[in-house]
Amino acid sequence: QQQVKQSPQSLIVQKGGISIINCAYENTAFDYFPWYQQFPGKGPALLIAIRPDVSEKKEGRFTISFNKSAKQFSLHIMDSQPGDSATYFCAASTVSGYSTLTFGKGTMLLVSP
Amino acid sequence: DVKVTQSSRYLVKRTGEKVFLECVQDMDHENMFWYRQDPGLGLRLIYFSYDVKMKEKGDIPEGYSVSREKKERFSLILESASTNQTSMYLCASRTQGSTGNTIYFGEGSWLTVV
């Protein structure tokens, strides 16, 4: 099974700080890297995604940084807010319509007021 | 808005019972998925279906089966529930064409097997 390794398992950040979650993958054929956000009692929802033709993608306070040579990508949450407290999953796959996402094990983020 | 509905949010079943988890999506998506979510283990794929009547095993299919008789409905079946199948189960759907298409998840079904 192709793995996606995610760290840290949990993270506490003060309001206004930067939250950083890291993921590493093994399969060099992966070419789609989404992040999902899950609030308690809800299913995960797509937050932001990147393809390997760019090294960074930003949407509001959320940024994905991608390092193809290192086979690593990370999620940065700027100006973290208590409403960002959730579990975050990175994932990876090939773009082929018949492949499936491989998820990391998740990071529980708590942003303290 | 895309909606993936899991009709049973919380279930308590006895060991050995047959359990059906139902999922319906309203966006005419071809692909549907069943995941299991456990603390520290993330999301693990049980089964998926590319289209009606089709099914493929995921990473942890043992002890489970699925049924997809209609495009909008994908059922997960536990033939003989065991305590190690106590978990949260997530159904998801996606339009066919590219894995880059967004996967939409339901809110989950919490299953406790006693």
Side-chain angles (χ1 to χ4, degrees):
Chain A
Q1 177 186 355
Q2 302 295 338
Q3 289 188 336
V4 176
K5 295 182 179 179
Q6 183 172 348
S7 63
Q9 189 172 3
S10 62
L11 181 62
I12 300 175
V13 174
Q14 287 196 332
K15 179 182 176 181
I18 302 173
S19 304
I20 302 174
I21 304 170
N22 301 299
C23 284
Y25 62 98
E26 299 172 354
N27 186 353
T28 55
F30 285 156
D31 55 5
Y32 173 65
F33 303 91
W35 285 88
Y36 278 76
Q37 179 188 53
Q38 183 182 31
F39 293 107
K42 300 293 185 181
L46 179 66
L47 180 63
I48 186 173
I50 196 169
R51 297 281 174 87
D53 52 341
V54 296
S55 60
E56 185 175 283
K57 183 174 182 179
K58 184 176 182 179
E59 290 184 1
R61 295 183 295 107
F62 300 90
T63 300
I64 300 179
S65 296
F66 183 79
N67 185 330
K68 189 173 182 177
S69 61
K71 293 187 289 184
Q72 295 176 345
F73 59 109
S74 59
L75 177 69
H76 292 66
I77 306 175
M78 311 300 289
D79 187 25
S80 298
Q81 299 297 313
D84 298 329
S85 297
T87 298
Y88 293 82
F89 293 96
C90 64
S93 77
T94 63
V95 178
S96 161
Y98 293 97
S99 66
T100 59
L101 286 174
T102 299
F103 284 89
K105 294 185 177 183
T107 297
M108 291 183 63
L109 171 66
L110 176 64
V111 181
S112 60
Chain B
D1 277 354
V2 173
K3 191 155 187 182
V4 179
T5 302
Q6 296 180 235
S7 53
S8 300
R9 293 297 312 277
Y10 302 95
L11 306 92
V12 180
K13 298 292 182 180
R14 294 190 183 278
T15 300
E17 275 194 80
K18 191 170 186 176
V19 181
F20 292 87
L21 299 180
E22 305 288 345
C23 175
V24 176
Q25 51 94 2
D26 65 358
M27 282 301 293
D28 201 35
H29 285 170
E30 292 83 4
N31 302 166
M32 295 189 75
F33 307 84
W34 275 105
Y35 287 88
R36 172 175 172 163
Q37 182 175 4
D38 300 286
L41 296 179
L43 301 172
R44 294 182 291 167
L45 183 62
I46 305 172
Y47 266 96
F48 58 103
S49 169
Y50 290 121
D51 211 331
V52 180
K53 305 277 188 181
M54 298 175 68
K55 61 183 179 183
E56 297 286 340
K57 292 181 180 179
D59 300 318
I60 52 165
E62 296 77 19
Y64 303 95
S65 63
V66 291
S67 173
R68 190 146 180 226
E69 296 297 318
K70 294 185 177 181
K71 191 175 187 178
E72 68 271 17
R73 188 179 298 270
F74 192 35
S75 302
L76 180 68
I77 303 158
L78 288 67
E79 294 290 342
S80 178
S82 64
T83 55
N84 63 11
Q85 292 179 310
T86 292
S87 186
M88 184 166 85
Y89 292 88
L90 287 163
C91 176
S93 71
R94 178 186 71 190
T95 191
Q96 180 62 34
S98 168
T99 309
N101 294 331
T102 302
I103 288 181
Y104 296 89
F105 284 88
E107 295 197 327
S109 297
W110 287 94
L111 173 65
T112 301
V113 183
V114 297

